[in-house]
Amino acid sequence: MKKIIRKKKSNEVRIGLLGLGTVGSELANLIGINATRIDKEYGIRLNLSAAFVRDVSRKRNVNIHIPILTTNPDQITKNPDIDVVCECIGGNGFEETRQFILDSLHHKKDIILSSKKALALYAPEFIEAGNSNQVQIRYDATVGGGIPISKVFEASFRGDTVTSISGILNATSNYIYSKMENDQMDFSQALKQAQQKGYAENNPSDDVDGFDALYKICILTMLGMKRIPSPQSAIAQTFRNVELCDMQYASELGYSIKPLALADRVNGHVEYHVGPTLISNRHILANTFENYNSIMVKGNICGQLGFYGQGAGDKPTASAMFDDLLNLILSKQHNLFQGQEISSYSQIQLKEKNSKKYWRLSLLNEPGALANVTSVFAHNDVNIEKILQKNKHKEYMELVLITGIAKKHKELFSELSKNPSLKIENVLHVTE
Amino acid sequence: MKKIIRKKKSNEVRIGLLGLGTVGSELANLIGINATRIDKEYGIRLNLSAAFVRDVSRKRNVNIHIPILTTNPDQITKNPDIDVVCECIGGNGFEETRQFILDSLHHKKDIILSSKKALALYAPEFIEAGNSNQVQIRYDATVGGGIPISKVFEASFRGDTVTSISGILNATSNYIYSKMENDQMDFSQALKQAQQKGYAENNPSDDVDGFDALYKICILTMLGMKRIPSPQSAIAQTFRNVELCDMQYASELGYSIKPLALADRVNGHVEYHVGPTLISNRHILANTFENYNSIMVKGNICGQLGFYGQGAGDKPTASAMFDDLLNLILSKQHNLFQGQEISSYSQIQLKEKNSKKYWRLSLLNEPGALANVTSVFAHNDVNIEKILQKNKHKEYMELVLITGIAKKHKELFSELSKNPSLKIENVLHVTE
C-alpha cells in the first residue's frame, strides 16, 4: 500500500473515488468548488485523496488536484488512509463493483453508491457487511438521479406506513416513449435517436427490457418499506412491446403509455409490476417526459406524495452523491440539523416579476380592428406568440393573445384602455 | 403555575399542544398510536402532557389521555414542565398565535409550527427569539401540507444553489379552479361548493385573494434560499379574476389556469408573482388538481425538481408535524441518521400484480365478430370498461379494450389465442 497521504488533520475527511467518468468528474468538481465553504460552515475539511481509474492518461474535465490517480482499486478500497469511498463506476462490470463495495465495507469505510445493479442484486450482503463493520451505506444516487428520495424516506413517515411506491424510473425508456408520443417516431427510430444522443447504451437491454427499472423499484422498496426484495425472482415486461398505434389509441382513450414500475405492500409480500403501462393523461406520471423521473409514494396517514426530477445526467447524480457525502459526515459528527442554522438567515426584498401575459379583449367587428390592436402591442415592444379570435356576436369579437416576456404591459394596458372600440376583459400571467 | 406533572424520566419528552381542533386531535392520536414503538425503536418516551383549548367541554375525537386540558395558554407556553410546544392553532387569531410562539421561545421551548400566517409575518422575530434562547423552530406543516419539503431542503442542495421556487400552494383556490376546468362551474359556484365541503372559510379572502399563497412562497424562500422576504411589501393578484371562458380559451391554446406563486432569486432580491397563471397542459403544475399542492424547485446543479402531495387536510398536516417532532428530538439526542437503521431491514418476496389491462386485437370483419370476442371476456369474468373500434382495412378491424381489474387475463389470453379469426396484437398494464 502506497503511503503518500500526509498525516490526517482533525475534522479532515479523506475521500476516495471509484471511477472518474462523467459522474465521478462532476463529483470531484463539486468537492473542489465547495470545500472552502464547507470548511467555513461546518468545520469539515473535505480531502479528495485518491481516485481509481481504468486509464491514468485519459483527459478528464476535473478542476481539482487528486494526489493519487491509480489503476489499482485496492489503493481506494483497502487503503487505511481513506475514510469514505464514493462509487461512481456506472452500469458495467457490476460483479467487479460488488467486490469493490465489499472490500470497502470490510476495510471499515463508509460508502456512497451509484451502481443500482450491484445494490439491487447484492443488498443483503452489503447491509450485513455494513452492519458488522459499523459503517454507513448511502445510495440516493442509485435511483431517481437528482430526486432527493432517500432524504425524504430518512426524515419522514415516522408515524406512518408506506403502502405503495410507483414510478417512471428508467430515463432511457421514458425518452423513447416521449419521442413516440410527441414526435410520432416508432420504437426503433426513437431508440436509435436515444443512442445517438448518448441516452442509451449500444446494448440497451438493461434499460429497454425493464431490468434497470426493476432494480430501482427494489431499491425504493428498501428505502421506503425497509424490506429487501430479490429482483432475481421477478420478471420485468419489456418496454419494447409498444407500437406507435398503441400510443395513438391510448391517447384517444385519454391515456399515455409510460415505462412504469410499481410495488404495493401486501401482507407478507410485495406485489410488483414493471412494464409499459397506460396512465390517465392528467396524472403526474403521464406528464413526466424525456429524461425526467417521477416517484409516487403512498402513506396511510400522509396520503399520496410525488417526487419529480432528472433521472439521469452527470450533474443531478453527482449532486445527490455530494449531499449523501455531507449528510454522512455530519451524522457522524453528531451535528446534523442542530438549530437549522437559522442564525444564517437574512432578509431580502420582494420585487414583482416580468412575464408573458394572456390578454382577453372584446372589440368592435369593423375593418382593420385586428390590425389596429396588434399594432399597439407592436409599438410597445410586446411580441404576440399566439392569437385566438372568437366571433361571439355580429357586432364584436373576442380576441385572446399570448405574448412573449415583455416589460411594457402597463404602458400597453394604459394605451388600450383609451381605445373606445375595445374593452380589456382580462390579463393573466403565463409561465414559460 | 399548576405543578401536576410528575418528575421527568430520562429520555422523556413532554409535549404541549396549542389547539386541539382537527389537526391537533390528529397529532395527539399519532403520538398515542406511535408512543410505544418510538420508545422501543429510539428510546424516546413521548409524553403528551397538556393541551390549550378554547372550550374544555367540547367533544373531541382524541384517543389518548391528556392530563391537562386548559383554557390558559400560559400552562403550555410558560410551563417549565413542557419541553416542546406543537402549535395547531390554525388560521384565525394570528396576533394571538404570535404571542404564544414568542412566549414559548422565551421560555426555552422548542416549537413545531402550523400557522403560516404568523410565521410569514413575524419570521425575523421568531428566529431571533429562537436563536437567543437556543431552541429550534420547525415548520414543515406551514406549507404544502403533507409534502416533506423542509426535510428536502435540510438534507439537500448542500453543494447547490436554489435559484427558483414555484408552486400551487393554496388548496382552496386549486379546488375551485379544478371545478371550473373539469365541471364547467363558474368561480362563485365553485367557491360555494368549496365552502359547503369545508374546503373554504366563510370569509375566504386569505385563500382566494392570494394572501395564503403569498405567505407560503415567502416561507419556501426562507427554507430554500435562507432569505426572509417580507410579505407586507408584496401584492398578490386575486385568484377571483378568472372567468369560465378564460379557462376554455386557455385550454384551446394548450394551457391550464392555476393559482400559482413563484419566487426567483435575482442578485440582491427575489422576484415574485402570486396570481392566476396559464401553465402548459402537460406540465406537472397543470396536472395538480383539487386539494393537491405542487412545489417546483430549481437548483444550479440538480436542475428542476418537483414535489407533490395533499396541501390541506388534518392527517397530512399532522403527519408533517409528527415527523418534525421526531426529527427535532432525534437531532437533540445526536443520533439522527446513524447507520440508517439498516439492521432492521428484512427480506421480502415479490409477487406479480393483478391489474386492469389494455388489449389490442385484430379480427376479421364478419357478422357477430365483436359479440363473439366480448363474450369471451365476459365468461372469464373480465369486465370491459372502454372499447375503441378501428376499421383499418375492409377485411379486418382493430379492437382496443380497456378492462377492469381482473384475475383471469392468462385464461383469457389462452382462449383468445385459439380463435383463428383474431390475432392478439398487444396486452398492456393500466394503472388506476
Side-chain angles (χ1 to χ4, degrees):
Chain A
M1 189 64 51
K2 277 202 269 182
K3 272 280 193 183
I4 334 182
I5 298 172
R6 58 181 167 57
K7 196 160 172 296
K8 184 179 174 177
K9 289 187 186 159
S10 75
N11 274 337
E12 184 177 7
V13 179
R14 293 163 309 183
I15 302 156
L17 294 187
L18 290 169
L20 201 56
T22 50
V23 170
S25 298
E26 197 62 54
L27 180 57
N29 289 337
L30 274 179
I31 292 170
I33 291 164
N34 289 285
T36 309
R37 185 181 56 79
I38 297 293
D39 191 359
K40 206 170 140 192
E41 275 183 30
Y42 303 102
I44 295 165
R45 300 167 75 103
L46 299 177
N47 180 352
L48 180 44
S49 308
F52 159 73
V53 294
R54 307 279 178 192
D55 175 3
V56 174
S57 64
R58 199 179 126 195
K59 238 185 120 67
R60 293 178 173 85
N61 184 21
V62 175
N63 308 321
I64 174 178
H65 172 67
I66 306 173
I68 307 175
L69 269 193
T70 172
T71 55
N72 176 7
D74 293 354
Q75 286 282 342
I76 315 293
T77 61
K78 300 180 181 174
N79 188 338
D81 288 331
I82 297 291
D83 303 309
V84 183
V85 171
C86 297
E87 175 270 307
C88 317
I89 301 282
N92 296 321
F94 64 98
E95 285 292 350
E96 197 185 30
T97 304
R98 166 179 167 263
Q99 199 52 55
F100 295 166
I101 294 168
L102 287 174
D103 285 346
S104 303
L105 294 169
H106 288 308
H107 286 81
K108 299 197 180 302
K109 293 164 199 344
D110 299 297
I111 190 160
I112 314 292
L113 300 183
S114 78
S115 170
K116 62 225 74 172
K117 190 168 184 176
L119 177 61
L121 292 173
Y122 307 114
E125 259 186 303
F126 296 165
I127 287 173
E128 201 201 311
N131 281 337
S132 63
N133 291 285
Q134 295 189 289
V135 290
Q136 292 189 29
I137 308 166
R138 284 175 185 252
Y139 49 88
D140 199 336
T142 60
V143 54
I147 302 174
I149 191 68
S150 81
K151 286 86 171 175
V152 167
F153 282 127
E154 281 171 27
S156 310
F157 300 99
R158 292 194 179 277
D160 203 353
T161 305
V162 173
T163 57
S164 172
I165 304 175
S166 62
I168 295 171
L169 304 177
N170 183 263
T172 307
S173 305
N174 199 45
Y175 177 86
I176 293 170
Y177 281 9
S178 297
K179 289 289 152 197
M180 292 175 74
E181 186 178 349
N182 299 327
D183 301 341
Q184 278 73 53
M185 291 186 187
D186 67 20
F187 191 95
S188 59
Q189 279 178 301
L191 170 57
K192 196 175 277 176
Q193 190 180 98
Q195 284 170 325
Q196 281 162 356
K197 291 206 167 188
Y199 296 161
E201 311 267 343
N202 284 337
N203 176 357
S205 179
D206 258 10
D207 287 322
V208 302
D209 291 326
F211 301 110
D212 177 80
L214 178 62
Y215 300 144
K216 286 171 176 168
I217 194 73
C218 286
I219 292 170
L220 286 173
T221 305
M222 288 172 56
L223 280 170
M225 302 183 187
K226 305 277 181 248
R227 297 287 180 277
I228 310 173
S230 164
Q232 291 94 335
S233 67
I235 298 160
Q237 197 185 330
T238 179
F239 295 132
R240 298 185 205 246
N241 184 31
V242 173
E243 290 179 40
L244 196 48
C245 70
D246 292 316
M247 285 277 174
Q248 288 157 349
Y249 296 157
S251 170
E252 280 188 54
L253 291 159
Y255 294 96
S256 292
I257 300 182
K258 288 288 177 184
L260 196 77
L262 68 86
D264 285 345
R265 187 204 292 260
V266 182
N267 292 335
H269 65 269
V270 167
E271 287 187 357
Y272 80 100
H273 158 75
V274 176
T277 303
L278 278 74
I279 302 169
S280 161
N281 259 332
R282 300 306 299 266
H283 192 287
I284 293 280
L285 288 170
N287 293 286
T288 302
F289 295 107
E290 305 275 340
N291 71 327
Y292 277 83
N293 280 189
S294 279
I295 300 168
M296 309 300 294
V297 182
K298 202 168 177 178
N300 269 335
I301 311 289
C302 71
Q304 185 74 69
L305 297 176
F307 306 92
Y308 169 87
Q310 287 180 67
D314 315 329
K315 281 178 192 279
T317 308
S319 176
M321 295 187 80
F322 187 81
D323 285 334
D324 269 0
L325 177 66
L326 258 287
N327 292 338
L328 184 150
I329 296 167
L330 289 168
S331 77
K332 294 220 150 185
Q333 299 200 346
H334 303 317
N335 64 359
L336 189 55
F337 286 164
Q338 277 186 37
Q340 297 178 86
E341 310 142 46
I342 46 180
S343 55
S344 68
Y345 280 44
S346 65
Q347 286 187 260
I348 197 164
Q349 206 192 338
L350 286 174
K351 289 190 181 176
E352 217 168 328
K353 192 173 168 62
N354 290 324
S355 78
K356 296 169 78 158
K357 298 275 184 200
Y358 160 102
W359 289 78
R360 175 160 59 89
L361 311 170
S362 300
L363 62 165
L364 286 174
N365 228 338
E366 52 190 20
L370 191 59
N372 196 6
V373 169
T374 52
S375 72
V376 180
F377 279 74
H379 76 244
N380 280 291
D381 299 323
V382 179
N383 188 35
I384 296 169
E385 291 190 353
K386 288 184 180 180
I387 191 159
L388 197 69
Q389 186 185 325
K390 297 272 168 185
N391 292 312
K392 289 187 99 171
H393 298 264
K394 274 185 190 162
E395 315 89 69
Y396 71 92
M397 59 172 145
E398 279 209 324
L399 201 63
V400 176
L401 303 138
I402 305 251
T403 75
I405 297 176
K407 286 187 183 172
K408 296 197 186 165
H409 284 288
K410 273 184 191 166
E411 289 84 342
L412 183 58
F413 192 94
S414 137
E415 189 172 344
L416 289 172
S417 303
K418 288 174 198 151
N419 187 332
S421 60
L422 70 80
K423 192 180 158 211
I424 300 169
E425 301 284 355
N426 210 348
V427 186
L428 299 173
H429 194 87
V430 179
T431 60
E432 284 130 88
Chain B
M1 190 64 51
K2 277 203 268 182
K3 271 280 192 182
I4 333 182
I5 299 172
R6 60 183 164 59
K7 197 163 170 294
K8 184 179 174 176
K9 290 186 188 162
S10 75
N11 274 337
E12 185 178 6
V13 179
R14 294 164 306 184
I15 301 155
L17 294 187
L18 290 170
L20 201 55
T22 51
V23 170
S25 298
E26 197 62 53
L27 180 58
N29 289 336
L30 274 179
I31 292 170
I33 291 163
N34 289 286
T36 309
R37 185 180 58 78
I38 296 293
D39 192 358
K40 208 170 138 191
E41 275 183 30
Y42 303 102
I44 294 164
R45 302 167 74 103
L46 298 177
N47 180 353
L48 181 45
S49 308
F52 159 72
V53 295
R54 307 278 177 192
D55 174 3
V56 174
S57 64
R58 201 180 124 194
K59 239 185 120 67
R60 293 179 172 85
N61 184 23
V62 175
N63 309 321
I64 175 177
H65 171 67
I66 305 174
I68 307 175
L69 268 192
T70 172
T71 54
N72 177 7
D74 293 353
Q75 285 282 341
I76 314 294
T77 60
K78 301 180 181 173
N79 188 338
D81 289 331
I82 297 291
D83 303 310
V84 183
V85 171
C86 297
E87 176 270 306
C88 318
I89 301 283
N92 296 322
F94 64 97
E95 284 292 351
E96 197 184 29
T97 304
R98 165 179 168 265
Q99 197 54 54
F100 294 165
I101 294 167
L102 287 174
D103 285 346
S104 303
L105 294 169
H106 288 309
H107 287 80
K108 298 199 181 302
K109 293 166 200 340
D110 298 298
I111 190 159
I112 315 290
L113 300 183
S114 78
S115 170
K116 63 225 72 168
K117 190 167 182 175
L119 177 61
L121 292 173
Y122 306 115
E125 258 186 304
F126 296 165
I127 287 174
E128 201 201 312
N131 282 337
S132 62
N133 290 285
Q134 295 190 289
V135 290
Q136 292 188 28
I137 308 166
R138 284 175 185 254
Y139 49 87
D140 199 337
T142 60
V143 54
I147 301 174
I149 192 67
S150 81
K151 286 86 171 175
V152 167
F153 282 127
E154 281 171 28
S156 310
F157 300 99
R158 292 193 180 277
D160 204 352
T161 304
V162 172
T163 57
S164 172
I165 305 174
S166 63
I168 295 171
L169 305 176
N170 183 264
T172 307
S173 305
N174 199 45
Y175 176 86
I176 292 170
Y177 281 9
S178 298
K179 289 289 152 196
M180 292 176 74
E181 186 178 349
N182 299 326
D183 302 341
Q184 279 73 52
M185 291 185 188
D186 68 20
F187 191 94
S188 59
Q189 279 178 301
L191 170 58
K192 197 175 275 177
Q193 190 181 97
Q195 284 170 324
Q196 280 161 357
K197 291 205 166 190
Y199 296 162
E201 311 267 345
N202 285 337
N203 175 358
S205 179
D206 258 9
D207 288 322
V208 302
D209 291 326
F211 301 111
D212 176 80
L214 178 62
Y215 299 144
K216 286 171 176 168
I217 195 71
C218 285
I219 292 169
L220 287 173
T221 304
M222 286 172 59
L223 280 170
M225 303 184 188
K226 305 277 183 251
R227 297 285 180 280
I228 310 172
S230 164
Q232 291 95 333
S233 67
I235 298 160
Q237 196 184 333
T238 178
F239 295 130
R240 299 186 205 243
N241 184 32
V242 173
E243 289 179 41
L244 196 48
C245 70
D246 292 315
M247 285 274 173
Q248 287 156 350
Y249 295 157
S251 171
E252 280 188 53
L253 292 160
Y255 294 96
S256 291
I257 301 181
K258 288 289 178 185
L260 196 77
L262 68 85
D264 286 344
R265 186 204 293 259
V266 182
N267 291 337
H269 65 271
V270 167
E271 287 188 357
Y272 80 99
H273 159 76
V274 175
T277 303
L278 276 74
I279 302 169
S280 160
N281 259 332
R282 299 306 299 266
H283 193 286
I284 294 279
L285 288 170
N287 293 285
T288 301
F289 295 106
E290 304 276 339
N291 71 328
Y292 277 83
N293 280 189
S294 279
I295 300 168
M296 310 300 294
V297 182
K298 201 167 180 180
N300 269 335
I301 312 290
C302 72
Q304 185 75 69
L305 297 175
F307 306 92
Y308 169 87
Q310 287 180 65
D314 315 330
K315 282 177 192 279
T317 307
S319 176
M321 294 186 81
F322 187 81
D323 285 334
D324 268 0
L325 178 66
L326 259 286
N327 292 338
L328 183 151
I329 297 167
L330 288 168
S331 77
K332 295 220 149 185
Q333 298 200 347
H334 303 316
N335 64 358
L336 187 56
F337 286 163
Q338 276 186 36
Q340 299 179 87
E341 309 143 47
I342 48 181
S343 56
S344 68
Y345 281 45
S346 66
Q347 286 185 261
I348 197 164
Q349 206 193 337
L350 285 174
K351 290 190 181 176
E352 217 169 328
K353 193 173 168 60
N354 290 323
S355 78
K356 297 170 77 158
K357 297 275 187 203
Y358 159 101
W359 289 78
R360 175 160 61 89
L361 311 170
S362 300
L363 63 165
L364 286 174
N365 229 339
E366 52 192 17
L370 190 60
N372 196 6
V373 168
T374 52
S375 72
V376 180
F377 278 74
H379 76 245
N380 281 291
D381 300 324
V382 179
N383 187 34
I384 296 169
E385 291 191 351
K386 288 182 180 179
I387 190 159
L388 197 69
Q389 186 186 326
K390 297 272 169 184
N391 291 312
K392 288 188 99 171
H393 298 265
K394 273 184 192 162
E395 314 89 69
Y396 69 94
M397 59 172 146
E398 279 208 326
L399 201 63
V400 176
L401 302 138
I402 306 253
T403 75
I405 296 175
K407 286 186 184 172
K408 296 196 187 168
H409 285 287
K410 273 184 190 165
E411 290 85 341
L412 183 58
F413 191 94
S414 136
E415 190 171 343
L416 289 172
S417 302
K418 288 173 198 150
N419 187 332
S421 61
L422 70 79
K423 191 179 158 212
I424 300 170
E425 301 284 357
N426 211 347
V427 187
L428 299 173
H429 194 88
V430 180
T431 60
E432 283 129 89

